Amino acid sequence: MRVGALISGRGSNLQALIDACAAADYPAEIGLVVSNQVGAQGLQRAERAGIATTTVPHRDFDTRAAFEAAMTGQLEAAGVELVCCAGFMRVLTGAFIGRWRDRLINIHPSLLPAFPGLDTHACALAAGVKLHGCSVHFVREEVDAGPIIGQAAVAVRADDTPESLAARVLVAEHRLYPACLRLLAEGRVRIAGDVARIEGDVAPEAPLINPVP
Ligand code: GRF
């Protein structure tokens, strides 16, 4: 499956996808990386891997619709079938989401539907949850909503700061995103209403319990 990635910055999740795609038996390849930020670190990661990149600066466009149409044009020209948001910091709207419906996924740093939006790690600490994590989901018009493909959980520790918690969640993100993309590329994800169903037995038996019993 030929995928496109939308980024705005560091691109560590993009790097995880690049690394996964390098394996001979991985069923996806990245055809194009699009950044809305000039000089995003993720662009260098793609270039180093020999992947085509383009910058579509949102400020160059009068409307969000025109910005998104320009991105769709680039993705279509690259033959992209599925779009992965990987730290893409613009809210996507109607026509773009419609054009890529069920072919547009995102990684969000919380166990959705808890903590949509920004500052998820600080919100998790303020709420006192003992498990936190990340989710890969299909993009819908409601921000950080949409059928969930996969989630990874990490234990929250008593001495966690938003930064320390973010760092542990990020490690989990880098494992989760390639795993979910693989399932999609293998055609093992079906959407039934508001829910994504995974074909085959992928759920582990063991619970993650915090505190350790
Ligand atoms: C990640 O935490 C991701 O979940 C969120 O933005 C961050 C992007 O980091 N959407 P990176 O650019 O992939 O390093």
Side-chain angles (χ1 to χ4, degrees), residues 9-14 86-87 89 106-109 170 173:
R10 180 177 59 180
S12 70
N13 277 289
L14 171 66
M89 298 307 286
N106 179 47
I107 185 155
H108 179 76
L170 195 63
E173 291 185 39

Side-chain angles (χ1 to χ4, degrees), residues 169-206:
V169 171
L170 195 63
V171 172
E173 291 185 39
H174 296 164
R175 293 181 63 190
L176 179 69
Y177 213 172
C180 291
L181 178 58
R182 171 186 281 280
L183 290 172
L184 279 157
E186 289 174 346
R188 293 171 60 192
V189 182
R190 199 167 42 80
I191 300 177
D194 294 336
V195 170
R197 300 210 180 279
I198 312 293
E199 198 182 279
D201 192 9
V202 288
E205 270 304 319

Side-chain angles (χ1 to χ4, degrees), residues 6-10 33-44 54-59 67 71 87-90:
L6 305 187
I7 64 162
S8 298
R10 180 177 59 180
V33 173
V34 181
S35 173
N36 68 309
Q37 295 286 0
V38 179
Q41 193 190 336
L43 290 169
Q44 294 160 30
T54 186
T55 304
V56 182
H58 58 276
R59 286 198 176 82
F67 162 62
M71 290 199 297
F88 182 68
M89 298 307 286
R90 305 297 296 171

Side-chain angles (χ1 to χ4, degrees), residues 66-196:
F67 162 62
E68 292 177 352
M71 290 199 297
T72 289
Q74 296 279 354
L75 292 162
E76 286 177 343
V80 162
E81 301 159 87
L82 177 96
V83 179
C84 299
C85 298
F88 182 68
M89 298 307 286
R90 305 297 296 171
V91 170
L92 292 164
T93 58
F96 190 88
I97 293 173
R99 163 61 184 83
W100 298 100
R101 191 177 168 87
D102 299 346
R103 290 178 174 75
L104 175 61
I105 64 175
N106 179 47
I107 185 155
H108 179 76
S110 78
L111 293 173
L112 291 171
F115 315 127
L118 298 173
D119 298 326
T120 55
H121 309 299
C123 291
L125 291 178
V129 295
K130 302 300 179 249
L131 298 174
H132 181 47
C134 51
S135 307
V136 172
H137 64 95
F138 288 100
V139 175
R140 295 288 185 262
E141 292 212 22
E142 190 186 337
V143 174
D144 299 329
I148 294 167
I149 301 161
Q151 296 185 303
V154 305
V156 179
R157 304 178 68 109
D159 59 354
D160 262 327
T161 62
E163 293 72 29
S164 66
L165 188 51
R168 282 207 311 294
V169 171
L170 195 63
V171 172
E173 291 185 39
H174 296 164
R175 293 181 63 190
L176 179 69
Y177 213 172
C180 291
L181 178 58
R182 171 186 281 280
L183 290 172
L184 279 157
E186 289 174 346
R188 293 171 60 192
V189 182
R190 199 167 42 80
I191 300 177
D194 294 336
V195 170

Side-chain angles (χ1 to χ4, degrees), residues 12-27:
S12 70
N13 277 289
L14 171 66
Q15 187 68 57
L17 296 178
I18 290 172
D19 294 346
C21 289
D25 66 342
Y26 195 78

